[in-house]
Amino acid sequence: MPPETPTALPPAPRVRLREVDLLRFLAALAVLMYHYTGSLGGPWKGEKARELFDPVSTLTQFGYLGVELFFLISGFVILMSTWGRTMADFTVSRIIRLYPAYWFSVLLIGAIYLTTGLGRGRPEALIPNLTMFQQGMGIQNVSGVYWTLWTEMHFYALIAVLVLTGVTYSRCITFMSTWTVLAVFAKETGNGVLEGLLIPEFAPYFIAGMAFYLIHRFGSSWLLWGFAAFSWATSMRYALPAATGEPYSLAPSDAWPAIAVITTALFGLMALVATGKLSKLRWKHFATLGALTYPTYLIHYELGPALARLLHPALPYWAALAAITAIVLVAAYLINKLVEDPLVKLLKPRLKDSFQRLSAADTGRHRGKRARTPDVPADEPAAPAPHANDTRAIAPAGPTPPHHEEEAHGSTPSAPIGSSI
């Protein structure tokens, strides 16, 4: 690693990485196509999507790996969005990014169930699902794609520890190292509690995403590329067996070497983002595609079967597929404009005010306590400035690329139709 100099590197003005928006959208589209054309289920009553859409399904059966790309992007973007921010900032950003569209999707699924009888949107399950914590309470997700959100919640819980201590380069390295090792140990022990906390199957993607962000921000180093390479190798341990097991059930001859090649390509795409090789993909409308990603992911799985029953057999399968996809994308656009944007404007200032009041109340209690304790000096010396050799808040020296800030949209995980996207 290059020599280090003390700097806390506060957040810089936001410059949206539109190439990441494009990758998000493509990941969501891959998951949608997996569920509609590449899975052994699908929205087509009594028919297997993988058989109906052969030979296209030879490719789209791998679309569930879009979820893994989502997790890589999440590691990158969440670390970006937490740098120089407080726990209150982090909490508010996650609430306003995840919940508005999610609440709408839960209510939509309930409406679909009440009007058609399709899906899992039974009233007794809807209310717990509004919390987004239903899986932890042992309650079934009303949509198959929600499982990825719970995986994201695990990542947020872990990275909250980093946010509480203050995000610095050195602490990121410590965090990533610790998580990498403990995740491997958790799988070795077979301890359900450790595995549930450390999510060893998905940890490599989040950790690699964090490494790619550090490369993007501070430049390449053997250490950071080593994290990415180790995470890539670890991901193979889970990706290959998962492909041939339920619910993906790929033929072994299809799974190898395709899974290894595609997973490697996903890591390669993020490496290109990290090193600025995709920076030319900055078309302003990619931001619109990025905004469609989360609502598309949330609604496509449960909306698909209801639309398929309306459109087929009046339309042939390919025409129905095109129409359903178009309807889902238009609905996602409307959700973003009519639900997400207004609720974000409503919630953000009020949540910030709530945390500011909490901070002010804590400060007031602290001052009051000191005022009532005469043996504590009223004026204590200020904490000394960090020494140049203090590595607790330092980052590598050398040219620092412009810092890009961007909020992560809710995860768009991948899984069987009805499991994660």
Side-chain angles (χ1 to χ4, degrees), residues 229-251:
F230 189 90
S231 296
W232 166 80
T234 308
S235 72
M236 293 298 175
R237 181 261 178 266
Y238 304 105
L240 294 171
T244 54
E246 293 184 355
Y248 311 116
S249 303
L250 300 182

Tab-separated table of all heavy atoms in Angstrom, residues 229-251:
chain	number	residue	atom	x	y	z
A	229	ALA	N	-10.471	-10.505	-5.462
A	229	ALA	CA	-10.156	-11.830	-5.985
A	229	ALA	C	-10.574	-12.925	-5.000
A	229	ALA	O	-11.122	-13.965	-5.399
A	229	ALA	CB	-8.656	-11.927	-6.276
A	230	PHE	N	-10.308	-12.711	-3.712
A	230	PHE	CA	-10.694	-13.714	-2.708
A	230	PHE	C	-12.214	-13.853	-2.665
A	230	PHE	O	-12.748	-14.965	-2.563
A	230	PHE	CB	-10.164	-13.313	-1.338
A	230	PHE	CG	-10.320	-14.384	-0.294
A	230	PHE	CD1	-9.320	-15.324	-0.085
A	230	PHE	CD2	-11.473	-14.463	0.478
A	230	PHE	CE1	-9.461	-16.323	0.869
A	230	PHE	CE2	-11.629	-15.452	1.431
A	230	PHE	CZ	-10.617	-16.388	1.630
A	231	SER	N	-12.922	-12.736	-2.753
A	231	SER	CA	-14.381	-12.778	-2.743
A	231	SER	C	-14.909	-13.501	-3.977
A	231	SER	O	-15.878	-14.265	-3.896
A	231	SER	CB	-14.954	-11.355	-2.684
A	231	SER	OG	-14.591	-10.714	-1.480
A	232	TRP	N	-14.301	-13.251	-5.127
A	232	TRP	CA	-14.692	-13.956	-6.349
A	232	TRP	C	-14.526	-15.464	-6.174
A	232	TRP	O	-15.435	-16.242	-6.489
A	232	TRP	CB	-13.849	-13.459	-7.520
A	232	TRP	CG	-13.923	-14.335	-8.729
A	232	TRP	CD1	-14.916	-14.371	-9.659
A	232	TRP	CD2	-12.959	-15.320	-9.126
A	232	TRP	NE1	-14.640	-15.329	-10.613
A	232	TRP	CE2	-13.447	-15.921	-10.303
A	232	TRP	CE3	-11.740	-15.753	-8.597
A	232	TRP	CZ2	-12.747	-16.928	-10.979
A	232	TRP	CZ3	-11.047	-16.751	-9.259
A	232	TRP	CH2	-11.553	-17.340	-10.434
A	233	ALA	N	-13.373	-15.876	-5.662
A	233	ALA	CA	-13.120	-17.306	-5.481
A	233	ALA	C	-14.100	-17.908	-4.476
A	233	ALA	O	-14.616	-19.016	-4.665
A	233	ALA	CB	-11.675	-17.527	-5.016
A	234	THR	N	-14.391	-17.177	-3.401
A	234	THR	CA	-15.326	-17.671	-2.392
A	234	THR	C	-16.742	-17.775	-2.948
A	234	THR	O	-17.480	-18.710	-2.621
A	234	THR	CB	-15.330	-16.728	-1.171
A	234	THR	OG1	-13.994	-16.533	-0.720
A	234	THR	CG2	-16.154	-17.310	-0.038
A	235	SER	N	-17.110	-16.841	-3.811
A	235	SER	CA	-18.464	-16.864	-4.373
A	235	SER	C	-18.704	-18.133	-5.180
A	235	SER	O	-19.839	-18.623	-5.256
A	235	SER	CB	-18.692	-15.627	-5.251
A	235	SER	OG	-17.960	-15.708	-6.465
A	236	MET	N	-17.662	-18.676	-5.792
A	236	MET	CA	-17.812	-19.887	-6.599
A	236	MET	C	-18.250	-21.075	-5.747
A	236	MET	O	-18.957	-21.962	-6.218
A	236	MET	CB	-16.489	-20.221	-7.302
A	236	MET	CG	-16.087	-19.216	-8.348
A	236	MET	SD	-17.276	-19.112	-9.705
A	236	MET	CE	-16.564	-17.761	-10.641
A	237	ARG	N	-17.815	-21.075	-4.485
A	237	ARG	CA	-18.168	-22.194	-3.611
A	237	ARG	C	-19.687	-22.308	-3.451
A	237	ARG	O	-20.228	-23.403	-3.267
A	237	ARG	CB	-17.487	-21.999	-2.248
A	237	ARG	CG	-17.765	-23.117	-1.247
A	237	ARG	CD	-18.866	-22.705	-0.278
A	237	ARG	NE	-19.188	-23.779	0.662
A	237	ARG	CZ	-20.158	-24.660	0.475
A	237	ARG	NH1	-20.876	-24.637	-0.634
A	237	ARG	NH2	-20.415	-25.587	1.387
A	238	TYR	N	-20.389	-21.175	-3.529
A	238	TYR	CA	-21.843	-21.179	-3.344
A	238	TYR	C	-22.602	-21.106	-4.664
A	238	TYR	O	-23.683	-21.675	-4.794
A	238	TYR	CB	-22.246	-19.998	-2.455
A	238	TYR	CG	-21.542	-19.992	-1.123
A	238	TYR	CD1	-20.504	-19.099	-0.872
A	238	TYR	CD2	-21.884	-20.900	-0.132
A	238	TYR	CE1	-19.833	-19.105	0.343
A	238	TYR	CE2	-21.221	-20.914	1.086
A	238	TYR	CZ	-20.195	-20.014	1.317
A	238	TYR	OH	-19.530	-20.027	2.518
A	239	ALA	N	-22.047	-20.408	-5.647
A	239	ALA	CA	-22.768	-20.186	-6.899
A	239	ALA	C	-22.982	-21.470	-7.681
A	239	ALA	O	-24.069	-21.698	-8.232
A	239	ALA	CB	-22.009	-19.175	-7.754
A	240	LEU	N	-21.981	-22.328	-7.738
A	240	LEU	CA	-22.097	-23.541	-8.544
A	240	LEU	C	-23.086	-24.549	-7.971
A	240	LEU	O	-23.978	-25.024	-8.685
A	240	LEU	CB	-20.706	-24.166	-8.733
A	240	LEU	CG	-19.751	-23.304	-9.567
A	240	LEU	CD1	-18.336	-23.874	-9.527
A	240	LEU	CD2	-20.238	-23.215	-11.011
A	241	PRO	N	-23.010	-24.886	-6.669
A	241	PRO	CA	-24.016	-25.809	-6.120
A	241	PRO	C	-25.432	-25.229	-6.161
A	241	PRO	O	-26.402	-25.961	-6.390
A	241	PRO	CB	-23.553	-26.017	-4.673
A	241	PRO	CG	-22.112	-25.661	-4.660
A	241	PRO	CD	-21.968	-24.576	-5.683
A	242	ALA	N	-25.570	-23.917	-5.950
A	242	ALA	CA	-26.900	-23.302	-5.952
A	242	ALA	C	-27.570	-23.430	-7.313
A	242	ALA	O	-28.786	-23.585	-7.410
A	242	ALA	CB	-26.803	-21.832	-5.556
A	243	ALA	N	-26.784	-23.377	-8.379
A	243	ALA	CA	-27.341	-23.403	-9.726
A	243	ALA	C	-28.071	-24.704	-10.024
A	243	ALA	O	-29.112	-24.709	-10.682
A	243	ALA	CB	-26.236	-23.175	-10.751
A	244	THR	N	-27.549	-25.815	-9.521
A	244	THR	CA	-28.156	-27.115	-9.827
A	244	THR	C	-29.183	-27.541	-8.780
A	244	THR	O	-29.890	-28.526	-8.981
A	244	THR	CB	-27.070	-28.200	-9.928
A	244	THR	OG1	-26.277	-28.208	-8.736
A	244	THR	CG2	-26.149	-27.918	-11.112
A	245	GLY	N	-29.272	-26.816	-7.672
A	245	GLY	CA	-30.262	-27.123	-6.643
A	245	GLY	C	-31.532	-26.325	-6.869
A	245	GLY	O	-31.633	-25.505	-7.787
A	246	GLU	N	-32.518	-26.563	-6.014
A	246	GLU	CA	-33.760	-25.800	-6.113
A	246	GLU	C	-33.518	-24.361	-5.638
A	246	GLU	O	-32.706	-24.142	-4.740
A	246	GLU	CB	-34.842	-26.458	-5.251
A	246	GLU	CG	-35.269	-27.811	-5.761
A	246	GLU	CD	-36.415	-28.399	-4.953
A	246	GLU	OE1	-36.809	-27.768	-3.930
A	246	GLU	OE2	-36.903	-29.466	-5.313
A	247	PRO	N	-34.200	-23.399	-6.194
A	247	PRO	CA	-35.270	-23.514	-7.194
A	247	PRO	C	-34.785	-23.373	-8.629
A	247	PRO	O	-35.572	-23.470	-9.559
A	247	PRO	CB	-36.174	-22.334	-6.831
A	247	PRO	CG	-35.205	-21.286	-6.385
A	247	PRO	CD	-34.087	-22.019	-5.673
A	248	TYR	N	-33.463	-23.155	-8.840
A	248	TYR	CA	-32.980	-22.879	-10.190
A	248	TYR	C	-32.929	-24.147	-11.023
A	248	TYR	O	-33.282	-24.142	-12.187
A	248	TYR	CB	-31.617	-22.190	-10.130
A	248	TYR	CG	-31.610	-21.028	-9.175
A	248	TYR	CD1	-30.815	-21.033	-8.035
A	248	TYR	CD2	-32.432	-19.938	-9.396
A	248	TYR	CE1	-30.834	-19.965	-7.159
A	248	TYR	CE2	-32.452	-18.865	-8.510
A	248	TYR	CZ	-31.652	-18.897	-7.394
A	248	TYR	OH	-31.685	-17.846	-6.518
A	249	SER	N	-32.458	-25.225	-10.426
A	249	SER	CA	-32.503	-26.557	-11.036
A	249	SER	C	-31.946	-26.572	-12.454
A	249	SER	O	-32.554	-27.117	-13.375
A	249	SER	CB	-33.944	-27.083	-11.034
A	249	SER	OG	-34.459	-27.113	-9.724
A	250	LEU	N	-30.766	-25.983	-12.638
A	250	LEU	CA	-30.113	-26.041	-13.937
A	250	LEU	C	-29.486	-27.413	-14.136
A	250	LEU	O	-29.024	-28.041	-13.176
A	250	LEU	CB	-29.025	-24.973	-14.044
A	250	LEU	CG	-29.452	-23.507	-13.899
A	250	LEU	CD1	-28.245	-22.600	-14.083
A	250	LEU	CD2	-30.536	-23.152	-14.895
A	251	ALA	N	-29.466	-27.843	-15.359
A	251	ALA	CA	-28.786	-29.095	-15.664
A	251	ALA	C	-27.297	-28.911	-15.409
A	251	ALA	O	-26.739	-27.867	-15.746
A	251	ALA	CB	-29.033	-29.485	-17.115
